[in-house]
Amino acid sequence: MNDAPAEAPRDYRDTVFLPQTSFPMRGDLPKKEPRILARWEAMDLWAKLRAAAKGRPPFILHDGPPYANGNLHLGTALNKILKDVINRTRQMAGYDANYIPGWDCHGLPIEWKIEEEYRAKKKDKDAVPVLEFRAECRAYAAHWMGVQAREFRRLGVEGAWRERYATMDLASEGAIAHEILKFLLNGALYRGLRPVMWSPVEKTALAEAEIEYHDHTSTTIWVRFPIVQAPVKELEGASVVIWTTTPWTMPGNRAVAAGPEIDYALVRVDGTAEGSLARHHETMLIALPLLPQVCQDSGITTHHLLHVFKGEALKGIVCAHPLRGRGYDQDTPLLLADFVTTDAGTGFVHIAPGHGEDDFLLGRANNLDIPETVGDDGTFNAWVPLFAGQHVYKAADAVCEALTQAGGLLARGKIVHSYPHSWRSRAPLIFRATPQWFIRMDGPEHIREKALRAIDATVFVPDQGRNRIGSMVAARPDWCISRQRAWGVPIPIFVHRQTGEPLRDQAVVDRIVEVFTSEGADAWYSSPPSRFLGPDRNPDDYEQVRDIVDVWFDSGSTHAFVLE
């Protein structure tokens, strides 16, 4: 055993060559960063940067506004930090990089939060005066603007925070109204009945950017449409079979569509499985490529092929609605359409012009009735036979029961598919034809053409961004800008009650913009219509539009009150 004392560990610090600096050993950033920001504030760093850059070429990064609704998240932080990096490098490169931050303040997300507070208090939103409700929305947005401004500054983002802009500023609302009314005066803004993505929960139309897709389980049905008028004898007594994933649209059916180049089989049912709703010896038309799958899905075990027709040869067929005799006694013509495919279903599409873009366009081209079967809240209107008052989300069983009793249902199933939902309420959406305000993309104003030219002339980093936005603009339908809500800039238009035409009067427009700029958009709700119409027009002759403009129009108008 060694009893010698252990040597003390050697201190190697004196043997390492380190530079002598005033930097502390510890970062201590939670304390240091606020001190740095306080120093920048005390020295008015932003004013010094502007003074130093005076006379330089301007570099303008226009701030696409974040939404004043909640604390920052990684997306908003990354957005602002990257902008700050770009502005600082341009400032150091010899430019005057004057950066004006701003906020989007209107729109459904804020309304939804206020309504959530109402629901928690058992308070009826519709019973609250509109100006009181708008004031609560304004206060909510103002609170979160302040919170987000502090959080952005805590990240070290420099900008003209004292001169920030907000879409809910009074002058901003006046500028947004002015931009809307430009489209009114040049003829590009019109009111039309078209199917739009509609949220029954939020009771408003939604823009494409407000829609997300989730898996959804839908009831599928195969339905017979009995042929009552046929161009050839072989088709007499047969049925056209359709397939749909939206049974609730059956009350809105006004036609059936076939593909002109598709081969359709006329078959006779010779054998069925137990429980099948197919009937022995009935004859039906089904697309030939889809016949095996339809037989499997409907429990048809044996069948006899009687004839094959090209879709073009089916022109002139008239069917009965499968609920004929139960309030649906209109004829159902068979129409030819290029959008019909054999990817799934039966090769026939049931056409409900009020519940789909293709359906609507085909219906309008053939002068079909476009019934408004569904109300704002997603329930069938009072005049809809058999289903009045029922919610479309819960109508599948009732529709199937009615079809079964009428002998129209051939089969029923389920499908899990990607389906549009509101990104706020997370509830499924429906296509619903309602009167809305649209900006025309194609017409004498050449808006689509101008937009595509502007995209082509813009430098994109990375360059593939040009193709993405270019393809979106090239394929986009007319822009639905109206929302049936309360918190936003109203579409400040008067419509003549007799003609249905919007009033295009420069003097009225000037009065509206002047009042909005000085008092804000609340004036539209607090002032009598005569204030805007002037002494030469009778307010009783005009309907005052109460819809608000899509919040994306707000942010798209910011150039008018920030840059210009």
Side-chain angles (χ1 to χ4, degrees), residues 263-316:
D263 289 325
Y264 290 94
L266 178 65
V267 298
R268 184 186 67 223
V269 177
D270 288 340
T272 60
E274 184 177 352
S276 172
L277 296 177
R279 298 188 288 264
H280 282 236
H281 306 306
E282 70 170 312
T283 55
M284 56 183 69
L285 272 173
I286 299 166
L288 186 61
L290 294 167
L291 180 59
Q293 187 63 51
V294 174
C295 288
Q296 179 180 327
D297 293 333
S298 60
I300 298 173
T301 55
T302 57
H303 64 273
H304 182 67
L305 181 63
L306 301 175
H307 206 289
V308 175
F309 298 91
K310 276 289 183 190
E312 184 71 38
L314 304 179
K315 189 176 181 180

Side-chain angles (χ1 to χ4, degrees), residues 354-386:
H355 300 299
E357 185 71 20
D358 288 334
D359 303 48
F360 175 82
L361 295 174
L362 185 66
R364 189 167 63 176
N366 289 274
N367 298 313
L368 296 181
D369 174 36
I370 302 176
E372 294 184 50
T373 56
V374 180
D376 291 354
D377 61 354
T379 61
F380 288 110
N381 288 321
W383 60 266
V384 177
L386 302 179

Side-chain angles (χ1 to χ4, degrees), residues 35 52 83 135 151 231 240 258 272 296 334 337 390 419 462 466 559:
R35 289 199 298 267
K83 288 175 179 176
E151 292 175 340
V240 170
T272 60
Q296 179 180 327
L334 186 144
Q390 296 192 47
Y419 193 84
R466 181 197 320 278
H559 66 279

